[in-house]
Amino acid sequence: MSASSSRTGSPGTARTGGTARAAAWVAPLCWVAVLLDGFDLVVVGTVIPTLRTPEEYGLSGSGATTVITVGLIGMMIGALTIGTLTDVVGRRKALIGAVVAFSVFTLLCAFAPNAWTFGALRFLAGLGLGGCLPTAIAMVNEFTRAGRSGRATTTIMTGYHVGAVATAALGIVVIEDLGWRWMFVIGALPALVLVPLMLRHLPESAAYLVAHGRRAEAQEVADRYGLTLEPAAAPVSPGAGETTAGGAAATVRTLFTGGYLRNTLVIGITSFMGLLLVYGLNNWLPTIMREAGYDLGDSLAFLLVLNVGAIVGLVVAGGVADRIGARTAGAIWFASGAVFLALLSIELPTAGLYLMCFLTGCFVFSAQVLVYAFVSANHPPQVRATALGWSAGAGRLGAIVGPVITGALVSAGTAFPWGFYVFAVVGAIGALALTAARRRDHVPA
């Protein structure tokens, strides 16, 4: 494998022509699944101000933090477990199951009679949702031609922020007129269309089939979807990827042995920092801005602009990653995000603050996506979804810590400007950590 392909290349190489069009269902279906993750990223942040009112749950600052945190704990557990199961039972089953679970429990959130029930349902929804992201990224990369791993990952992750933007916009329109519960009804509706389409059109990954010794089936998928099967994988623990409990354990063990250990630790640290920023900002930015003197409409608009910036940043980041490598691009994006986060602490006219939120979104949210691009391109198919699940799971731990830190600053009345200073330091640590990662061609056997 060449240095360039190991740096940016996707495992599956798609041919042009009629057969490639058959694979056109994969990316859109996975994109919508990731959009649901984007919905969940923002929805609690949009309803928390309402849930804190006496007319609803009357949540305190600590109560709001708890509601946010329990959902993130569920997502962390889901990412770690479903990510591993994806390498065992297959991409297709894992992704469909995750979407069904998330949608059912999200719908039930609309009928929660109290904060305890709401929190429990958020936890259960998180279990399903946690598996969507690593599974969708693994599958899309395995149906993408070589040399476009960065672009494929950032493109699929635009769904994440389109979902966030749509949810922030819905929050402005829906919450005051219809009530917060309708946000969760709307969030569950896509499954009514998505799941039947997945059952009909979503194939199993050829890379997964090869990894499980089902080469004849893999070749059939490759021929049908215009793919070239992956070359022999790098060494992994014996039994990794097998459909047994021992296979699941061997799959996880691979990440913590041999040449993979360094990247596993580095990716865990970087993802922790990345999702700490993403969730800290998305869950608490409206509240921070209200404390800074802006009304609810302006505060939600800042959240929307932040995620519009994320979409633009993703489009740019994918192309940059395919040219200079996801590792280098990710470090640059983390460092730039740290600079703009620090600048958010400066009191500016509203128009200037919108611009700063946009630029912050361009860099902060794309940085974590570039970590996923690096992980996908630098792990063999037997452990790819597990590695992505580890990255997302470690990140979800950061996603738990971020809102807790910000919530403590809000309770202390110091979230503006100190929250932005803390976030800037986190971004700088993420940039430093990612530079220590190794590309696949540099991973020793």
Side-chain angles (χ1 to χ4, degrees):
M1 181 178 294
S2 68
S4 61
S5 67
S6 65
R7 186 173 62 244
T8 62
S10 173
T13 303
R15 300 187 189 104
T16 58
T19 54
R21 288 195 296 272
W25 280 101
V26 175
L29 292 175
C30 291
W31 188 88
V32 176
V34 172
L35 182 146
L36 298 179
D37 205 335
F39 164 84
D40 195 81
L41 172 70
V42 170
V43 68
V44 175
T46 63
V47 303
I48 279 293
T50 303
L51 296 183
R52 296 186 69 183
T53 62
E55 295 78 14
E56 294 298 337
Y57 294 157
L59 291 176
S60 63
S62 60
T65 301
T66 300
V67 166
I68 292 169
T69 302
V70 293
L72 296 173
I73 291 173
M75 293 166 77
M76 178 184 69
I77 296 172
L80 293 171
T81 56
I82 297 178
T84 301
L85 287 174
T86 299
D87 280 326
V88 174
V89 304
R91 320 304 194 214
R92 184 177 185 274
K93 290 179 182 177
L95 186 57
I96 294 172
V99 168
V100 170
F102 162 74
S103 299
V104 168
F105 289 115
T106 292
L107 178 62
L108 292 176
C109 284
F111 304 98
N114 53 55
W116 289 103
T117 304
F118 181 79
L121 291 170
R122 288 288 302 155
F123 173 82
L124 293 171
L127 291 175
L129 189 61
C132 283
L133 190 64
T135 308
I137 292 175
M139 176 165 275
V140 166
N141 274 271
E142 289 166 358
F143 280 88
T144 300
R145 69 178 181 268
R148 300 193 65 178
S149 178
R151 190 174 285 108
T153 304
T154 55
T155 298
I156 200 70
M157 287 300 293
T158 60
Y160 190 66
H161 295 286
V162 168
V165 168
T167 305
L170 280 171
I172 295 172
V173 175
V174 170
I175 294 175
E176 289 190 4
D177 292 339
L178 300 177
W180 66 269
R181 296 178 188 274
W182 276 97
M183 294 295 292
F184 294 91
V185 174
I186 293 169
L189 289 179
L192 295 177
V193 176
L194 180 60
V195 171
L197 288 175
M198 283 181 160
L199 289 170
R200 180 176 177 83
H201 295 290
L202 194 66
E204 184 52 85
S205 160
Y208 165 81
L209 295 171
V210 169
H212 285 256
R214 297 159 61 181
R215 193 166 187 89
E217 294 175 64
Q219 190 62 60
E220 182 179 346
V221 172
D223 292 342
R224 181 181 178 189
Y225 291 94
L227 305 174
T228 297
L229 296 182
E230 291 197 42
V236 295
S237 297
E242 292 182 0
T243 53
T244 63
T251 302
V252 175
R253 187 166 59 247
T254 294
L255 299 184
F256 294 90
T257 56
Y260 294 98
L261 177 60
R262 175 173 170 174
N263 275 9
T264 298
L265 297 177
V266 166
I267 288 163
I269 293 169
T270 308
S271 293
F272 178 94
M273 301 301 170
L275 285 189
L276 188 157
L277 295 176
V278 170
Y279 277 82
L281 284 170
N282 272 300
N283 280 288
W284 283 107
L285 184 64
T287 303
I288 293 173
M289 290 309 186
R290 290 196 74 179
E291 288 200 354
Y294 299 93
D295 63 28
L296 177 60
D298 282 336
S299 299
L300 291 175
F302 289 134
L303 190 62
L304 188 151
V305 169
L306 189 76
N307 283 281
V308 169
I311 295 170
V312 175
L314 285 168
V315 172
V316 175
V320 173
D322 285 338
R323 285 178 171 82
I324 68 174
R327 180 185 63 179
T328 302
I332 293 171
W333 253 245
F334 267 105
S336 299
V339 171
F340 286 109
L341 283 164
L343 291 175
L344 274 178
S345 66
I346 301 173
E347 293 188 12
L348 296 169
T350 302
L353 196 54
Y354 279 135
L355 176 61
M356 204 60 63
C357 282
F358 175 83
L359 293 172
T360 301
C362 282
F363 288 101
V364 169
F365 296 162
S366 301
Q368 177 58 29
V369 178
L370 291 172
V371 177
Y372 296 140
F374 176 81
V375 172
S376 185
N378 285 273
H379 288 82
Q382 294 98 318
V383 297
R384 182 172 294 127
T386 301
L388 285 164
W390 161 256
S391 178
R396 300 296 185 186
L397 184 58
I400 294 167
V401 173
V404 170
I405 291 174
T406 314
L409 292 171
V410 168
S411 297
T414 58
F416 186 88
W418 284 99
F420 294 121
Y421 297 149
V422 171
F423 288 148
V425 171
V426 168
I429 294 172
L432 289 173
L434 191 55
T435 60
R438 292 175 173 173
R439 296 195 306 269
R440 188 169 173 180
D441 54 337
H442 295 151
V443 174

